[in-house]
Amino acid sequence: MENHNLVTKVCMQAGKIMLESSAETYRVEDTMNRIARAYGVNNPQSYATPTAINFSVDIAEASNMMRIEKRTTDLNKIAEVNALSRRIAAGEIAIEDALTILKKLDREKILYSSTMLVLVAAISSGCFTIMFGGPWIDFLPALLAGGIGFLGFILFDKLVEIRFISEFVASFIIGILAVLFVVIGFGNELDKIIIGAVMPLVPGLHITNAVRDLLAGHLVAGLSKGVEALLTAFAIGAGIAVVLAFT
């Protein structure tokens, strides 16, 4: 019984880290099951959605649930948990050590700071503008609009719990800056600047995960992630539309 409790804690801790880091649902369940089998559980039962984890060591055993309240994107943590699960499956790590490693990993902050994220968003905005056919004169306006807009997204995401609002505000800021730059002659093509600047906000990872979960047969998780991606796309479009409607 004590071993089963430890297995449950390790599996759910691993699943929690992966879900909070935006891992695919099928990957979360597969990782939890592999860890459980490596520690002697013959028939583990795991079920994950984007907002919760359920796990049991057998069909007739008690089910344990954990709520996932906050999600971000941290592929480094996903890779760390995957690497740990492979070492567990190879019999290299004791169960107590695995739990300690997972708890330490859970406490670690996201790999990149907010400053680095804003910088990368800014540079990618300028590059996307050029990639979509914009002139080089629009590189700097797109860089500034994308960077400031992404900074607004990060700040509002800390102030409000509704991600839709943060995405709407970020796209609104991008729209205002893009129009301002074109009006004062700092930018040339408004559409190319806006397209490039909003690209860091586009939910590409969510769309990819939704499709992969649907193909893997996880219909609930796939549909919920797909709807989340649609809401994000709507928020981005609404923010830009509000600006263009009054200019």
Side-chain angles (χ1 to χ4, degrees):
M1 181 63 70
E2 182 180 354
N3 182 65
H4 283 177
N5 288 337
L6 282 174
V7 171
T8 299
K9 289 180 180 179
V10 171
C11 292
M12 297 194 73
Q13 188 69 52
K16 172 180 178 288
I17 295 172
M18 296 184 74
L19 274 184
E20 288 182 341
S21 302
S22 294
E24 307 96 316
T25 304
Y26 78 88
R27 185 188 299 274
V28 174
E29 293 182 358
D30 181 66
T31 300
M32 293 169 67
N33 289 337
R34 288 177 182 272
I35 291 174
R37 292 191 183 99
Y39 288 129
V41 176
N42 296 322
N43 191 26
Q45 301 294 315
S46 62
Y47 177 72
T49 69
T51 56
I53 301 173
N54 288 276
F55 180 79
S56 176
V57 294
D58 207 339
I59 295 175
E61 297 294 333
S63 179
N64 303 272
M65 191 193 83
M66 180 182 293
R67 185 84 165 85
I68 306 299
E69 297 179 351
K70 187 73 173 178
R71 284 174 292 146
T72 184
T73 300
D74 193 339
L75 300 182
N76 179 66
K77 283 191 176 183
I78 297 174
E80 290 286 344
V81 175
N82 281 335
L84 179 64
S85 69
R86 295 188 186 97
R87 294 179 61 192
I88 291 173
E92 299 176 1
I93 302 179
I95 189 168
E96 294 85 359
D97 296 333
L99 184 58
T100 300
I101 294 172
L102 287 169
K103 287 183 176 180
K104 180 181 178 181
L105 180 62
D106 189 31
R107 290 191 298 267
E108 291 181 359
K109 296 182 178 179
I110 192 168
L111 182 61
Y112 300 108
S113 65
S114 297
T115 303
M116 179 61 70
L117 293 176
V118 171
L119 178 61
V120 171
I123 296 174
S124 63
S125 296
C127 293
F128 275 120
T129 294
I130 302 303
M131 188 182 75
F132 287 121
W136 279 100
I137 193 175
D138 288 336
F139 178 86
L140 191 55
L143 182 147
L144 293 174
I148 296 172
F150 199 81
L151 176 61
F153 167 74
I154 292 176
L155 294 177
F156 271 88
D157 194 45
K158 294 178 179 179
L159 293 176
V160 295
E161 295 182 357
I162 304 175
R163 197 176 183 88
F164 179 90
I165 296 177
S166 303
E167 293 158 348
F168 175 84
V169 170
S171 61
F172 182 82
I173 293 173
I174 288 172
I176 289 290
L177 291 174
V179 171
L180 178 62
F181 290 152
V182 172
V183 169
I184 65 176
F186 184 50
N188 188 19
E189 298 186 22
L190 178 63
D191 56 338
K192 298 299 191 299
I193 296 174
I194 290 177
I195 291 172
V198 301
M199 284 304 293
L201 300 175
V202 173
L205 180 62
H206 294 301
I207 295 173
T208 302
N209 286 349
V211 173
R212 294 186 69 177
D213 280 334
L214 285 172
L215 292 177
H218 294 262
L219 302 182
V220 174
L223 289 175
S224 63
K225 289 180 179 179
V227 171
E228 183 181 12
L230 287 176
L231 286 175
T232 298
F234 177 76
I236 295 172
I240 298 297
V242 168
V243 174
L244 296 180
F246 294 96
T247 57

